[in-house]
Amino acid sequence: MIERARTLDVGDPLARYRDRFDLPEGVIYLDGNSLGCLPRETPTRLAKVVREEWGQDLIRSWNTAGWIAMPQRVGAKIAPMIGAKSHEVIVCDSVSVNLFKLISAALQMRPGRKAVLSEPGNFPTDLYIIEGLEKQGLATRRLAPRDAIAGALDGDVALLLLTHAHYKTGELFDMPALTRAAHDAGALVLWDLSHSGGALPVDLGECGADFAVGCGYKYFNGGPGAPAYAFVAERHQDALQQPLTGWMGHQAPFAFSDDYTPAPGVDRLLCGTPPILGVAALEVGVDLIAEIGIGPLHSKSQALSEFFRQCLRERDVALDLVSPADPAQRGSQLSFRHPEAYAICQALIARGVIGDFREPDILRFGFAPAYLRFEDMAEAARHVAEVLESGEWRRDEFRERSAVT
Ligand SMILES: *Cc1c(COP(=O)(O)O)cnc(C)c1O
């Protein structure tokens, strides 16, 4: 198995990119879908921004180093990777905050309709933000299981909010079909791309999506708490009113006027001063993913996950797959159900195989194709088999829960 893996690595056109990341020794990292790895260039870039741009040039850097335009510049680099035009994407805030802005804006664009439709089991923050708006009397939250979503789109639905690749199972929604169904019902659509952006092809333009948000610290390798990105289709930009009317989203922030006039286009999504260190780190990650290319990344991601499954099969590992078996139907991850998933995950981490656990019984492995090797798949599968066979996960130390999983 390991020989076959090494042969695949030799033939892997993306193999050379592994060296562009600073990876810890002795770790097989299958959690790049939760926190992406550190690009080698990031510390150098951050040191320059801190020492030169901040330390020496100080406030002049807003102009001389182009700080003021960084949210737009990095947004424009993300745009082609999600099928958007460069002026349709901006980097700002967190996914959660961007959800609040865009759900609010969508509700205002559909007067007389109050329902925001999503699915039960969507990523919690998506559901909580709708709930917060409901408590303010601005929305009603409506949840329908996957197969009932199209049927739940009635004349009260202002917005359909879904996550393209499900965080637990990796299952993909049919973006074009659901976008069409929502539009046919007179609703707008907001896609959460947190688990697909930077790993899978997404074409917001072709499917006619209205809004989207996505994460900077997962497949884009922007670092912990990296700023998120938000997309507003060109046709909605002039009418868009978002409630966080901070000064950076003003048409002329430095006119210091008493009254708010939104900036043209997607710039009005800005609220406060952009976190330049965070955006600079994100830019390195985005540049690297753009250089490798979404097409090659997606092909390799599918090959890695299929090879991992094959290695598990050959070792007679009986784990219950909850991700779609067809790689075309899932994101860049494989999730398995096991009643002792938590302890198994901890036992694997102790062996240097970092995946993650998701409540209540999901063992999740993410395959960030930019830096993983086929050899890692064979080795990870060996560790999974050994952990299960040895029963070492039964140790007390692996069963105690910690705060962040
Ligand atoms: C990771 C993730 C988020 C993260 O939201 P933040 O506010 O940036 O922490 C949101 N939605 C989904 C689907 C995610 O997977």
Side-chain angles (χ1 to χ4, degrees):
M1 218 176 303
I2 197 78
E3 287 72 36
R4 216 173 340 129
R6 287 186 181 138
T7 309
L8 287 167
D9 283 325
V10 169
D12 171 16
L14 304 193
R16 62 198 163 99
Y17 290 106
R18 179 177 168 85
D19 199 39
R20 302 277 292 274
F21 292 88
D22 193 352
L23 304 170
E25 280 295 318
V27 167
I28 298 175
Y29 193 65
L30 306 182
D31 217 0
N33 53 331
S34 207
L35 174 64
C37 286
L38 171 67
R40 271 196 205 285
E41 195 192 324
T42 305
T44 316
R45 173 74 194 278
L46 283 184
K48 180 174 184 291
V49 176
V50 171
R51 294 227 167 83
E52 294 173 28
E53 297 178 10
W54 175 14
Q56 298 303 310
D57 298 338
L58 285 165
I59 201 163
R60 292 168 289 190
S61 287
W62 285 104
N63 294 311
T64 54
W67 285 354
I68 198 72
M70 276 175 74
Q72 292 86 347
R73 182 171 86 209
V74 182
K77 290 176 172 183
I78 293 170
M81 293 190 267
I82 55 173
K85 297 176 191 155
S86 56
H87 59 280
E88 290 178 318
V89 182
I90 193 154
V91 161
C92 55
D93 301 307
S94 61
V95 175
S96 305
V97 172
N98 289 325
L99 284 168
F100 178 79
K101 290 184 280 192
L102 291 174
I103 298 168
S104 305
L107 285 161
Q108 283 206 335
M109 291 166 87
R110 287 292 178 273
R113 295 177 177 228
K114 273 182 98 172
V116 178
L117 176 62
S118 192
E119 67 163 339
N122 192 356
F123 191 80
T125 214
D126 300 60
L127 299 179
Y128 301 162
I129 296 290
I130 309 175
E131 215 181 305
L133 286 160
E134 188 170 51
K135 292 212 172 95
Q136 291 189 62
L138 298 169
T140 53
R141 191 175 83 162
R142 184 183 294 180
L143 304 181
R146 292 198 160 212
D147 52 1
I149 286 172
L153 283 162
D154 63 21
D156 193 36
V157 177
L159 178 73
L160 175 62
L161 163 59
L162 295 173
T163 299
H164 180 212
H166 196 274
Y167 77 103
K168 257 191 214 180
T169 66
E171 186 174 352
L172 295 176
F173 273 115
D174 183 339
M175 277 183 61
L178 278 156
T179 302
R180 209 175 314 118
H183 287 169
D184 287 348
L188 297 160
V189 188
L190 196 176
W191 287 102
D192 186 333
L193 305 177
S194 293
H195 276 279
S196 38
L200 324 179
V202 173
D203 201 333
L204 293 169
E206 189 170 278
C207 76
D210 302 290
F211 309 110
V213 293
C215 198
Y217 52 81
K218 292 172 179 160
Y219 294 108
F220 281 116
N221 308 304
Y229 55 93
F231 158 90
V232 177
E234 188 174 39
R235 63 184 179 281
H236 294 312
Q237 291 183 355
D238 290 344
L240 188 97
Q241 291 184 51
Q242 64 95 354
L244 298 183
T245 47
W247 74 305
M248 279 290 157
H250 192 281
Q251 183 187 37
F254 296 96
F256 298 102
S257 132
D258 282 350
D259 300 307
Y260 184 80
T261 310
V266 80
D267 293 10
R268 68 184 57 181
L269 283 184
L270 292 176
C271 180
T273 306
I276 295 305
L277 301 181
V279 184
L282 175 62
E283 185 168 33
V284 177
V286 166
D287 280 341
L288 186 44
I289 291 299
E291 181 187 337
I292 306 172
I294 298 294
L297 284 164
H298 186 221
S299 307
K300 182 172 170 191
S301 132
Q302 295 190 328
L304 284 172
S305 63
E306 284 299 282
F307 185 65
F308 183 66
R309 285 185 71 205
Q310 196 185 330
C311 294
L312 289 177
R313 269 196 304 270
E314 287 179 23
R315 290 186 178 274
D316 292 323
V317 171
L319 278 173
D320 179 14
L321 181 70
V322 295
S323 303
D326 174 3
Q329 303 292 320
R330 64 177 188 243
S332 195
Q333 72 185 68
L334 285 173
S335 301
F336 301 91
R337 184 167 282 136
H338 191 290
E340 295 291 346
Y342 183 84
I344 294 168
C345 181
Q346 296 307 308
L348 284 168
I349 291 171
R351 284 167 169 261
V353 179
I354 303 183
D356 62 21
F357 164 77
R358 286 293 174 262
E359 290 284 0
D361 54 3
I362 301 282
L363 187 56
R364 186 176 75 159
F365 300 114
F367 305 99
Y371 44 82
L372 286 175
R373 298 169 299 192
F374 289 89
E375 184 181 330
D376 299 320
M377 302 297 103
E379 280 296 281
R382 177 175 66 78
H383 285 292
V384 171
E386 287 176 7
V387 162
L388 289 170
E389 276 160 27
S390 68
E392 68 196 56
W393 54 267
R394 292 176 201 278
R395 282 191 232 150
D396 287 348
E397 66 196 272
F398 296 142
R399 304 178 105 169
E400 270 162 35
R401 300 288 177 107
S402 50
V404 178
T405 56

